[in-house]
Amino acid sequence: MFFDDHRKHGLRHNPFKALVAPRPIAWVSSVSADGVANLAPFSYFNACADRPPTVMFAPNNPRPNGDGKDTLRNIEQTNEFVVNLAGYDLREPMNLTSAHVDPSIDEFKLAGLTPAPSVHVKAPRVEEAPVSLECRFLTRLRLPSDHPAIENNVVIGQVVGTHIAEHIIRDGMIDMAAYRPVARLGYMDYTSVETVFEMLRPD
Ligand SMILES: Cc1cc2nc3c(=O)[nH]c(=O)nc-3n(C[C@H](O)[C@H](O)[C@H](O)COP(=O)(O)O)c2cc1C
């Protein structure tokens, strides 16, 4: 099959997110200018450079109430955030933190998670997370939108501090079986890394 208008795919659901899959999940912690911590997952996420390590994610704000996502507002106010990465064990609390709650609500408390101090940024990291990347906000790109109620953005940040839980390090390498990062598929589906294979580059 082929379609060029994404609204006319003829399938039961728009397949786009099932096609670009799996997508890693940035579990982004931030803090507002007045000190309220915030935590939310974003699966439009990836690394985009490693010298220096740089990440991007997309808080795509629905605009009906005009004020968009707390994560984006906090990052623009404070210029900092943390990308935590969840292993399979943290899938439920990660999902809980996607609830659309008032900005005064601290999602760490909501999901029973522990905010741990970061080294270089004010935003707390998730103590339970196997990996946390402290980030300095570099830029926000505004992407086209084809719906008046949707605003599309990409936030790019430079990693200035990396926390790795000791239990996922083995022989100086990341043990993917211990890490087991969760990732998003399409629809309501998720996966976690369970199979690893090696392939050498031709040159
Ligand atoms: C696994 C998962 C992935 C998500 N990915 C995104 C995403 O990439 N972009 C987005 O705008 N919202 C995404 N969401 C929804 C946000 O997490 C949700 O809107 C959240 O309430 C935003 O929180 P905030 O207002 O505190 O920033 C995702 C939700 C889940 C459960």
Side-chain angles (χ1 to χ4, degrees), residues 24-25 85-88 130 175-183 191-194:
I25 300 171
L85 290 125
Y88 183 76
D175 177 354
M176 294 308 283
Y179 182 13
R180 227 182 148 188
V182 234
T191 187
S192 67
V193 176
E194 283 166 26

Side-chain angles (χ1 to χ4, degrees), residues 28-96:
V28 179
S29 44
S30 59
V31 69
S32 67
D34 46 9
V36 180
N38 192 86
L39 182 61
F42 295 89
S43 71
Y44 286 144
F45 161 63
N46 225 307
C48 47
D50 54 77
R51 294 192 61 173
T54 308
V55 292
M56 52 190 265
F57 75 97
N60 294 338
N61 299 349
R63 283 189 296 197
N65 57 7
D67 49 4
K69 295 205 170 164
D70 300 338
T71 301
L72 180 58
R73 197 195 47 248
N74 289 351
I75 291 173
E76 289 199 310
Q77 284 177 354
T78 62
N79 289 316
E80 298 173 342
F81 58 100
V82 179
V83 170
N84 305 276
L85 290 125
Y88 183 76
D89 295 351
L90 288 169
R91 66 198 181 284
E92 296 289 357
M94 181 276 295
N95 189 32
L96 261 183

Side-chain angles (χ1 to χ4, degrees), residues 89-131:
D89 295 351
L90 288 169
R91 66 198 181 284
E92 296 289 357
M94 181 276 295
N95 189 32
L96 261 183
T97 62
S98 72
H100 293 114
V101 293
D102 189 83
S104 62
I105 303 292
D106 174 342
E107 286 96 350
F108 280 86
K109 287 197 186 114
L110 188 84
L113 296 159
T114 318
S118 296
V119 176
H120 292 298
V121 304
K122 283 193 203 74
R125 62 192 171 88
V126 178
E127 186 168 278
E128 292 82 354
V131 175

